Amino acid sequence: NFQTTGSKVAGQSCLYDFNSNNSHHSGRFFSPFYPQHYRPNASCRYRFFARPGERVKVIFSNVQLHHIDASDPYPSCRDSPDVITVYDGLDESTPVIGQFCGVHNSEEVISTGTTLIVTFVCDDRNQKQGFSASYEFINKHASKQIKSIKNESNPTVPTSSS
């Protein structure tokens, strides 16, 4: 039930590609070993390639990551040891459009263009369940929605943690 529907890139420990085509418009992806705890020092990348005229919509249905500052009413993921980061493009130099740590349900992010990358990194302590997410390649004219909690450290980046 918990199989990533993307293609694992040969020779890479945790790199997956998801390509839109006539028969493939949606699917699911997970942190390693989900629903069991992810392993120490995990580092994964999930790359999405939509067709011209499409965007990528990702919904994180369940996020359970180790987070160190749960008492802050507006915590930041900046210093979190385990974090999911969503980039609006294909590498980490493109804008961050979502960042999640701690516990979340139903977080949605939509790319502005045809590519998107999700990264998941963690340290060597306090592993949790990880995450479960779905994706869909949508028409570029679909409305853009990002659900998040205000990030006090950098209000221009929609990050969230609880």
Side-chain angles (χ1 to χ4, degrees):
N1 281 344
F2 299 105
Q3 283 192 314
T4 293
T5 54
S7 301
K8 189 171 186 297
V9 175
Q12 301 292 317
S13 63
C14 195
L15 174 60
Y16 292 88
D17 284 345
F18 303 83
N19 296 286
S20 177
N21 58 47
N22 289 334
S23 62
H24 183 85
H25 299 286
S26 63
R28 299 173 2 159
F29 65 105
F30 307 92
S31 56
F33 302 101
Y34 186 90
Q36 284 79 35
H37 289 190
Y38 48 87
R39 302 299 189 258
N41 300 310
S43 178
C44 295
R45 295 172 60 175
Y46 307 85
R47 301 184 301 193
F48 296 85
F49 302 90
R51 294 182 291 181
E54 293 180 332
R55 295 192 297 173
V56 184
K57 177 170 80 171
V58 173
I59 299 174
F60 293 93
S61 55
N62 180 30
V63 175
Q64 295 186 32
L65 305 180
H66 173 233
H67 184 61
I68 53 175
D69 194 10
S71 63
D72 185 342
Y74 298 104
S76 168
C77 294
R78 184 183 58 203
D79 298 321
S80 184
D82 301 355
V83 65
I84 297 165
T85 305
V86 184
Y87 296 90
D88 196 16
L90 273 187
D91 61 54
E92 295 172 27
S93 68
T94 58
V96 172
I97 58 172
Q99 193 168 59
F100 309 103
C101 52
V103 177
H104 296 276
N105 293 301
S106 301
E107 296 286 351
E108 181 178 294
V109 180
I110 300 176
S111 69
T112 60
T114 59
T115 58
L116 180 140
I117 186 167
V118 174
T119 63
F120 167 64
V121 294
C122 70
D123 67 4
D124 61 351
R125 320 184 294 282
N126 302 313
Q127 284 69 47
K128 303 287 184 192
Q129 187 178 35
F131 71 88
S132 169
S134 61
Y135 65 92
E136 182 179 6
F137 297 106
I138 61 172
N139 182 294
K140 72 176 181 178
H141 300 295
S143 65
K144 182 177 180 182
Q145 297 177 349
I146 300 176
K147 297 178 182 177
S148 64
I149 297 171
K150 182 180 177 186
N151 174 13
E152 292 285 303
S153 64
N154 185 352
T156 63
V157 177
T159 63
S160 61
S161 172
S162 61

